C-alpha cells in the first residue's frame, strides 16, 4: 500500500471505540505464537455482525487494502500475520452462541466464540464440540486452519463438524454454504473449499457446528517403553486391533525430561504413550484396558499406569497439557519452531526415528498425535543466530521432505501460513496451479490474507 487511506471513514461502519490505529493494538496483532517475524497492520477493527464485516470488507475492497481475519492469534506458522499490513478484522467481539439445538446435536455460533467456552456451556446438556487444538482458539481460527488435536483420532478434525457457514467474500458479498442435514450430496462441497483456507478466500462470520454426545465413562493409560520403536509399534498395533482410542499421544524422553523439570514430576524419562478410551460401562472399559495392557506388554512396556473415571483421567493427562509452554519455559530467550508433519500410520515409526536422528544436535522435542500419524518436532533456538537457525531450518526441510516422500503432508493441523508455503509445490504438484486459479477467481486483487499459500 503506497498511501494510507483515511481510516476515519470506518466510523461510518463501526463506533470509533471498535477501530484502532494505536501502536500497542497493532503490535498485538502483528504476530502469532510462532517465530515468524511480526508485521504491523495499519488498522484493527472489531465488528459485531456479519453485516458490519461485509461493509468493512467492501470498504477495503474499494480501496484495495489487504484484509486479514484474526481469531485468537494462536497459530504456529504465521497464519494470521498481516504481511502486507492493511486491516485486521478481530473476531473477539463476535462471540455469541446464536442457537443451541440439542435435539439435532447442533449449535450456531459467531466466528469469535472460543471453543473451550463453548464446550463449558454445552456440558450442561451432555454435548460437546470435539476438535481441540489445546490453545484458546476461536471457531473462526479453527475453521481457518482446519484445526484438530488430541481427540481427532476418534472424532475427526474441524472439517468434520461444520455443517453450515456464513462467509464474506473479498468484495464484501455474503454467502451461505451448506445446510443443517447430517449428510448431503448436493453439488460441489464448497464448505471444504473454505475450511482450511486460512482466510485467503473468504471470512467466516457464523457457523453451524455438529456436536457429539459427552462420553459416559473414561479410561486413561500411560505406558513407557525402552525405545522409540517399541512405543510407535504399539501405536500401530492398537490402531489395528479394533480398539478405538479417543487419544493416542506419543512423547519422546526429552519431552518427559522437560515436563519433570517444569512441573516437578518424577516420571520415567523414556518414550511414552498416553491413551484415552471412551465407553459406556466400566465393565467394557476394563476389558479394553486388559487388551491394551497386553499389547503394551508384548512391546516391552516398562511402566503401565492405568485408571478408570474422570479423576484418574485428569491425573494421567495432567502431564500432556501445556507441553509446548513447558518446553518454552525450559529455554528462556529462545524461539519455537514447531513442525507438524503427518504420515500414513504404517510409516509412523520410521518417520519418528528419522526426525529424531535429524535433530539430535538441536534443542529438540518430539511428540504428537500418534494415532493420526501426526508428529510435532519442537525446536528451540535463536532465529537471529544465523548459523544456528540455518541448522534448524535445514532439519525442518529434511523432515518435511521425508514426510512427503512417505506420501504424507507438510502440515497435519497447523496450516500453511508463512512457514509451509515453500513446501506446497512439492506436496501438491500441478494441483497447486488449480488452487492458485481458485484464489485468483475469488480474490483477483489478492486482498485476503496475502502472502500465504502462494508466493505472489
Ligand atoms: C500451545 C499451542 C498448542 C496448539 N496445539 C494445536 C493442536 O493440537 N492442534 C491444532 O490443530 N492446532 C494447535 N495449535 C495451533 C492453533 O491453536 C490452531 O491452529 C487454532 O485453530 C488457531 O485458532 P485462532 O483462533 O488462534 O486463529 P488465528 O491464529 O487467529 O487464525 C488462524 C487462521 O485462520 C484465519 N482466520 C481467523 N479467523 C477467521 C475467520 N473468522 N474466517 C476465516 N479465517 C479466519 C486467520 O487469518 C489465520 O490464517 C496450538 C497452538 C498453541 C499456541
Amino acid at each position: 500500500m503506497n498511501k494510507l487511506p483515511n481510516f476515519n471513514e470506518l466510523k461510518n461502519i463501526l463506533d470509533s471505540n471498535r477501530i484502532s490505529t494505536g501502536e500497542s493494538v497493532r503490535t498485538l496483532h502483528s504476530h502469532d505464537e510462532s517465530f515468524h517475524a511480526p508485521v504491523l497492520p495499519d488498522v484493527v477493527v472489531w465488528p459485531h455482525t456479519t453485516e458490519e464485516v461485509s461493509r468493512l470488507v467492501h470498504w477495503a475492497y474499494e480501496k484495495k487494502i489487504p484484509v486479514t481475519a484474526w481469531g485468537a492469534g494462536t497459530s504456529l506458522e504465521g497464519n494470521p500475520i498481516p504481511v502486507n499490513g492493511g486491516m485486521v478484522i478481530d473476531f473477539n467481539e463476535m462471540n455469541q452462541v446464536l442457537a443451541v439445538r440439542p435435539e439435532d446435536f447442533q449449535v450456531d455460533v459467531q466466528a469469535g466464540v472460543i471453543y473451550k467456552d463453548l464446550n463449558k456451556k454445552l456440558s450442561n446438556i451432555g454435548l460437546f464440540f470435539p476438535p481441540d487444538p489445546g490453545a484458546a482458539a476461536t471457531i473462526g481460527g479453527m475453521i481457518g486452519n482446519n484445526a484438530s488435536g488430541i481427540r481427532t483420532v476418534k472424532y475427526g478434525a474441524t472439517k468434520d463438524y461444520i455443517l453450515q457457514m456464513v462467509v464474506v467474500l473479498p468484495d464484501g458479498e455474503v454467502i451461505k454454504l451448506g445446510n443443517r442435514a447430517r449428510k448431503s450430496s448436493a453439488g460441489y462441497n464448497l464448505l471444504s473449499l473454505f475450511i482450511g483456507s486460512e482466510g485467503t478466500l473468504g471470512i467466516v462470520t457464523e457457523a453451524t457446528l455438529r456436536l457429539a454426545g459427552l462420553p459416559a465413562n473414561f479410561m486413561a493409560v500411560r505406558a513407557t517403553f525402552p525405545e522409540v520403536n517399541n512405543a510407535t509399534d504399539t501405536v500401530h498395533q492398537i490402531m489395528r486391533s479394533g480398539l478405538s482410542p479417543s487419544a493416542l499421544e506419543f512423547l519422546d524422553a526429552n519431552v518427559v525430561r522437560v515436563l519433570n523439570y517444569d512441573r516437578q514430576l518424577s516420571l520415567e524419562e523414556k518414550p511414552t504413550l498416553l491413551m484415552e478410551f471412551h465407553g459406556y460401562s466400566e465393565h467394557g472399559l476394563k476389558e479394553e484396558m486388559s487388551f491394551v495392557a497386553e499389547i503394551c506388554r508384548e512391546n516391552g512396556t516398562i511402566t503401565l499406569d492405568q485408571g478408570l473415571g474422570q479423576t484418574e483421567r485428569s491425573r494421567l493427562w495432567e502431564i500432556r497439557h501445556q507441553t509446548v509452554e513447558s518446553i518454552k519455559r525450559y529455554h528462556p530467550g529462545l524461539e519455537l519452531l514447531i513442525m507438524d508433519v503427518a504420515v500414513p500410520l504404517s510409516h509412523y515409526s520410521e518417520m519418528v526415528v528419522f526426525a529424531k536422528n535429524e535433530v539430535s544436535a538441536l534443542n529438540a522435542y518430539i511428540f504428537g498425535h500418534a494415532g493420526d500419524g501426526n508428529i510435532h518436532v519442537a525446536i528451540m533456538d535463536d532465529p537471529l543466530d544465523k548459523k544456528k537457525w540455518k541448522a534448524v531450518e535445514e532439519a525442518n526441510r529434511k523432515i518435511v521432505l521425508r514426510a512427503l516422500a512417505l506420501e504424507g503432508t507438510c502440515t497435519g493441523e497447523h496450516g500453511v501460513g508463512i512457514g509451509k508455503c515453500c513446501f506446497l509445490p512439492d506436496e501438491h504438484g500441478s494441483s497447486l496451479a488449480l488452487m492458485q486459479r481458485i484464489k485468483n477467481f475469488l480474490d483477483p486483487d489478492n486482498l485476503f490474507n496475502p502472502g500465504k499459500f502462494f508466493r505472489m
Side-chain angles (χ1 to χ4, degrees):
M1 229 185 342
N2 298 328
K3 190 167 154 281
L4 283 184
N6 180 3
F7 292 125
N8 277 326
E9 289 173 21
L10 293 173
K11 292 182 188 160
N12 296 325
I13 305 172
L14 300 183
D15 309 331
S16 54
N17 63 353
R18 292 194 277 133
I19 305 163
S20 178
T21 52
E23 181 83 19
S24 58
V25 165
R26 287 161 61 221
T27 302
L28 278 175
H29 294 83
S30 67
H31 62 88
D32 58 3
E33 294 285 332
S34 71
F35 68 92
H36 291 287
V39 181
L40 291 175
D42 297 302
V43 64
V44 181
V45 291
W46 289 266
H48 287 171
T49 63
T50 298
E51 195 207 335
E52 286 179 352
V53 175
S54 163
R55 290 179 66 198
L56 289 164
V57 167
H58 185 71
W59 179 86
Y61 173 75
E62 299 229 296
K63 307 225 159 358
K64 303 298 171 227
I65 295 170
V67 177
T68 303
W70 189 275
T74 66
S75 287
L76 294 167
E77 286 292 358
N79 321 44
I81 296 179
V83 293
N84 289 2
M87 177 195 285
V88 158
I89 301 186
D90 185 328
F91 279 85
N92 203 15
E93 297 188 13
M94 273 184 79
N95 58 0
Q96 301 300 309
V97 174
L98 301 169
V100 186
R101 299 195 200 87
E103 65 285 7
D104 288 328
F105 298 74
Q106 289 172 11
V107 63
D108 294 347
V109 295
Q110 286 188 310
V113 166
I114 306 278
Y115 83 95
K116 290 183 179 187
D117 296 343
L118 177 67
N119 277 340
K120 264 187 216 140
K121 281 193 183 133
L122 294 172
S123 64
N124 298 335
I125 52 168
L127 296 173
F128 78 120
F129 174 65
D132 56 337
T138 61
I139 298 296
M142 290 175 68
I143 293 172
N145 289 348
N146 185 24
S148 47
I150 286 173
R151 289 191 286 252
T152 296
V153 62
K154 183 178 177 91
Y155 293 95
T158 301
K159 69 177 169 50
D160 301 307
Y161 289 86
I162 309 297
L163 291 169
Q164 222 172 213
M165 298 195 305
V166 177
V167 175
V168 176
L169 297 177
D171 61 358
E173 183 187 350
V174 178
I175 54 168
K176 188 178 117 343
L177 305 173
N179 55 63
R180 293 210 303 114
R182 283 178 74 87
K183 56 193 249 189
S184 168
S185 300
Y188 297 135
N189 188 349
L190 292 182
L191 282 173
S192 283
L193 177 64
F194 284 85
I195 297 167
S197 68
E198 300 181 26
T200 60
L201 302 179
I203 292 182
V204 181
T205 57
E206 294 176 17
T208 300
L209 311 178
R210 197 160 72 79
L211 304 172
L214 274 174
N217 225 321
F218 306 95
M219 168 179 82
V221 182
R222 179 178 64 89
T224 66
F225 297 86
E227 302 293 337
V228 167
N229 268 335
N230 304 107
T232 50
D233 288 349
T234 305
V235 170
H236 196 253
Q237 284 169 28
I238 286 184
M239 295 302 290
R240 277 191 60 160
S241 66
L243 290 163
S244 175
S246 44
L248 182 39
E249 296 286 300
F250 169 75
L251 309 175
D252 79 352
N254 284 348
V255 175
V256 183
R257 188 168 307 127
V258 166
L259 293 171
N260 275 342
Y261 176 85
D262 188 52
R263 319 271 277 280
Q264 286 90 50
L265 303 168
S266 52
L267 303 168
E268 300 80 0
E269 293 176 1
K270 293 282 177 195
T272 298
L273 292 182
L274 289 174
M275 302 169 237
E276 181 172 307
F277 295 83
H278 294 170
Y280 181 68
S281 73
E282 281 202 5
H283 177 72
L285 283 173
K286 274 185 186 151
E287 268 186 6
E288 283 191 56
M289 198 184 259
S290 59
F291 190 24
V292 171
E294 197 180 310
I295 296 174
C296 290
R297 281 193 205 100
E298 274 167 15
N299 286 291
T301 187
I302 304 169
T303 331
L304 204 53
D305 191 2
Q306 303 166 309
L308 271 178
Q310 183 66 270
T311 317
E312 278 293 279
R313 176 206 200 195
S314 306
R315 176 180 72 81
L316 287 163
W317 277 101
E318 163 77 23
I319 63 163
R320 176 63 177 85
H321 294 303
Q322 310 216 341
T323 305
V324 173
E325 285 76 3
S326 292
I327 293 171
K328 280 183 172 175
R329 277 194 291 270
Y330 196 68
H331 296 281
L334 297 184
E335 296 282 348
L336 166 76
L337 180 146
I338 183 162
M339 282 170 240
D340 168 41
V341 296
V343 292
L345 264 192
S346 61
H347 294 308
Y348 194 69
S349 296
E350 181 186 347
M351 191 65 232
V352 173
V353 172
F354 179 88
K356 209 162 170 51
N357 287 337
E358 283 304 319
V359 297
S360 57
L362 303 168
N363 300 317
Y365 304 88
I366 300 185
F367 57 101
H369 312 306
D372 297 325
N374 195 185
I375 304 162
H376 296 328
V377 183
I379 308 180
M380 298 299 299
D381 224 311
D382 178 6
L384 298 178
D385 184 329
K386 293 248 158 21
K387 199 168 154 216
K388 281 188 169 172
W389 199 253
K390 204 168 166 222
V392 172
E393 286 186 329
E394 186 53 12
N396 181 25
R397 196 182 67 82
K398 284 189 178 161
I399 290 169
V400 171
L401 291 182
R402 184 68 182 176
L404 297 185
L406 295 172
E407 297 181 87
T409 176
C410 64
T411 170
E413 54 184 22
H414 296 166
V416 177
I418 298 167
K420 291 294 184 297
C421 276
C422 56
F423 298 111
L424 291 195
D426 282 316
E427 179 157 344
H428 293 300
S430 54
S431 62
L432 187 62
L434 177 59
M435 291 189 201
Q436 176 80 76
R437 272 159 39 210
I438 292 170
K439 169 72 173 169
N440 292 348
F441 174 71
L442 287 172
D443 184 14
D445 298 315
N446 188 26
L447 296 177
F448 267 20
N449 203 5
K452 314 294 160 62
F453 288 28
F454 314 102
R455 305 260 172 203
M456 294 208 219

